[in-house]
Amino acid sequence: MRDSKIPAAIVSALGMTQIIGYGTLYYSFSILAPEMAEDLGLTLAQVFGIFSASLFIGGLSATYIGKQMDRMGAATILTIGSALSALTLALCAWSPSVFVFALAIILIEISSGMVQYQAAFAALVQSDPRTASRSITYLTLIGGFASTIFWPITAALVGYLTWREIYLVFAALNLFVCMPLHLWMARKGKAEGVRGVNRAREHVVGAVPPERRRGAMIVVSAAFAILGFTLASVLAHMVPMLGTLGLGTTAVVIGSLFGPAQIMSRLVNMIFGTSLSPPMLAVISAALMVLGIVVLAVTGNSLPGAAAFAICLGLGSGINSIAQGSLPLYLFGSDGYGAITGKMAAARLALGAAAPFAFAAAMQSFGIGLSLFAIAALGTAGMVAFISVAIATRRDLVAAE
């Protein structure tokens, strides 16, 4: 049947734009930050402080962006977002003062919410709700290569171009590659709507009864926010933290295991994970992240322990990205998907923005070991929340049979 097929062209187009979007708007920043700081007369801490503030403001904008996806269509928001991304990258490249630089970084983060996973997932749901969950898995597999591709590309460009020139190159990628692909998706969706294709598609009905939706949304949003805080805390300090533990130059090698583990978890889920419900995926993702953090806290400077930590964290993070798109669809259905995921993203991003500073302060006050146990306990709370949702949903489904 036509509706059982994965929309390969749309997934491929979004895969390309997600790699460029995450690579140019997010992953490149840590590599360019030292040169930005030197050029603008700031400390590196101040540059990352501006970045954290932009993450917080970007998180607050996610709710509004999500509502506009439902109203205008996610593909239209993606198209506008690509143009805005190019414009704000160019503004940042031109910035003659710290104020303009800070404003541009904030606008870049807002535009990121219009072109990255939140919007891409919504576009897949609006394209075909019944295949969206599977399409999200394929998309996250492709998007997982963003850091693998753009970290070395950005590092190589630093040897030939200034950070301002690199941002102009990245602006061109968003304008001349991403925007045309998103515009094609938007026009394709409108053409199908005119032909009546969208009317033939069934909406996905959520597993949560209407009377329990509000409570379930609060629990799920809190769980994703807690796990996001946990992951952001550790990722921001992964390599220096491993070095402080005594792993020296191998810290970079161990940290590099995180990316491939993310991709591997998505590949395994794509092949073997069809029998797992989205609530169970969320539970597994949380359990893997907590396990990895506990292993590092217990083993300290052990090389095998550190490797297991990086791999478990990567596996959990990879599955968590899938759950962020598939769990809201499974629980609450396809109607209003953009607004629902926007609210969840707002909570997750706003809380995650404070994570690097909070974890750094904890390590300074209590040491790495106790801080890791504390963040693992926080992650466990998120896992318990997901378990409660999985049990309640299972009970509702059994009662409905």
Side-chain angles (χ1 to χ4, degrees):
M1 293 177 63
R2 180 188 181 281
D3 285 333
S4 65
K5 295 179 181 178
I6 300 295
I10 292 177
V11 172
S12 299
L14 283 173
M16 173 67 74
T17 65
Q18 291 307 287
I19 288 174
I20 294 174
Y22 274 97
T24 61
L25 302 173
Y26 183 75
Y27 287 115
S28 64
F29 187 86
S30 61
I31 296 175
L32 299 177
E35 188 179 343
M36 291 174 174
E38 183 179 356
D39 182 27
L40 295 165
L42 300 172
T43 66
L44 191 58
Q46 288 173 326
V47 170
F48 275 102
I50 292 171
F51 185 61
S52 293
S54 73
L55 290 174
F56 178 77
I57 296 172
L60 295 180
S61 69
T63 300
Y64 176 78
I65 292 171
K67 291 179 180 178
Q68 297 309 306
M69 289 178 198
D70 290 333
R71 188 175 72 85
M72 301 172 60
T76 300
I77 295 298
L78 283 162
T79 306
I80 297 171
S82 295
L84 184 60
S85 296
L87 180 63
T88 53
L89 284 167
L91 175 65
C92 192
W94 169 76
S95 56
S97 66
V98 173
F99 174 79
V100 175
F101 172 79
L103 176 63
I105 293 296
I106 290 171
L107 292 174
I108 285 173
E109 193 55 41
I110 293 173
S111 65
S112 295
M114 301 171 69
V115 298
Q116 293 177 348
Y117 276 152
Q118 178 195 349
F121 292 161
L124 292 174
V125 170
Q126 292 174 3
S127 174
D128 194 338
R130 287 184 288 179
T131 63
S133 184
R134 194 72 171 151
S135 297
I136 286 169
T137 301
Y138 281 90
L139 178 61
T140 55
L141 176 64
I142 300 171
F145 288 95
S147 61
T148 306
I149 292 172
F150 268 87
W151 272 338
I153 286 177
T154 306
L157 289 174
V158 167
Y160 301 94
L161 303 173
T162 67
W163 73 268
R164 295 177 185 271
E165 292 167 339
I166 292 171
Y167 260 19
L168 288 176
V169 172
F170 289 169
L173 286 175
N174 281 274
L175 186 63
F176 297 116
V177 179
C178 296
M179 192 175 75
L181 288 172
H182 292 151
L183 183 61
W184 165 77
M185 287 175 53
R187 289 177 173 173
K188 183 176 185 294
K190 289 180 180 178
E192 289 182 343
V194 170
R195 292 197 300 268
V197 174
N198 288 337
R199 289 194 296 272
R201 290 176 179 158
E202 297 177 3
H203 291 289
V204 171
V205 178
V208 177
E211 65 272 14
R212 289 207 311 106
R213 281 173 64 99
R214 181 176 176 81
M217 276 194 63
I218 292 173
V219 173
V220 173
S221 297
F224 275 127
I226 290 170
L227 266 299
F229 183 93
T230 302
L231 182 62
S233 296
V234 177
L235 278 183
H237 301 282
M238 179 184 283
V239 173
M241 178 177 63
L242 292 174
T244 303
L245 285 172
L247 292 164
T249 55
T250 59
V252 176
V253 177
I254 294 168
S256 68
L257 296 174
F258 175 82
Q262 273 192 310
I263 295 171
M264 181 59 66
S265 68
R266 293 164 182 170
L267 180 61
V268 170
N269 180 70
M270 184 180 72
I271 299 172
F272 302 107
T274 53
S275 60
L276 293 174
S277 67
M280 188 53 63
L281 280 179
V283 172
I284 293 172
S285 72
L288 284 168
M289 285 191 275
V290 170
L291 175 62
I293 295 169
V294 170
V295 166
L296 183 65
V298 171
T299 59
N301 62 356
S302 165
L303 185 60
F309 150 73
I311 292 171
C312 285
L313 195 70
L315 292 172
S317 174
I319 299 174
N320 185 259
S321 296
I322 299 171
Q324 286 174 18
S326 61
L327 184 58
L329 178 63
Y330 177 85
L331 294 177
F332 310 115
S334 55
D335 289 339
Y337 179 86
I340 291 169
T341 54
K343 291 177 182 177
M344 292 184 178
R348 186 182 72 252
L349 295 172
L351 186 61
F357 289 104
F359 192 61
M363 287 192 292
Q364 186 175 4
S365 300
F366 307 110
I368 293 177
L370 284 177
S371 299
L372 286 171
F373 279 121
I375 208 71
L378 189 63
T380 302
M383 181 177 67
V384 171
F386 281 135
I387 291 173
S388 70
V389 170
I391 293 173
T393 304
R394 178 61 180 168
R395 185 170 58 243
D396 290 334
L397 291 176
V398 171
E401 291 177 356

